[in-house]
Amino acid sequence: MASARSTRASAAVDRLKRRTGNLAYSMARTADGLFFLSEAPGAPALNPPLELDDFVAFVNGLGPQEVRRISKNDEKFEKQLVRKKPAE
């Protein structure tokens, strides 16, 4: 389970690196399994040690956000979903 946790956290850091262009971001784990991020290995932490879900949310909120690209058909479908909400 520990490797899956680290994989999810490191994937979030990799996405941050792509979004910002800063390849020096570094993630570390504490002995009790909490995560923190720094701008470079050995640099001060940017956050207090966090649980996995909180860490991933923190990292995902940093830097420019990726714009979700949707096709015109997807856009029309989403509008239809909004119009067809069931009556209560």
Side-chain angles (χ1 to χ4, degrees), residues 13-87:
V13 174
D14 287 342
R15 288 190 302 272
L16 175 63
K17 289 177 180 181
R18 281 195 307 273
R19 287 194 317 268
T20 63
N22 179 359
L23 301 179
Y25 276 113
S26 178
M27 171 194 81
R29 282 183 72 181
T30 64
D32 53 352
L34 301 177
F35 297 86
F36 63 90
L37 179 73
S38 60
E39 289 188 285
L46 298 174
N47 61 288
L50 299 169
E51 293 285 340
L52 176 64
D53 291 338
D54 295 331
F55 177 77
V56 171
F58 171 76
V59 172
N60 286 343
L62 293 176
Q65 300 300 304
E66 293 179 356
V67 178
R68 186 177 139 223
R69 297 176 65 189
I70 60 172
S71 69
K72 288 183 181 183
N73 288 336
D74 290 337
E75 187 176 326
K76 289 177 185 177
F77 179 69
E78 286 180 8
K79 286 180 183 178
Q80 285 180 341
L81 289 177
V82 171
R83 284 192 296 237
K84 292 185 178 184
K85 285 189 177 179

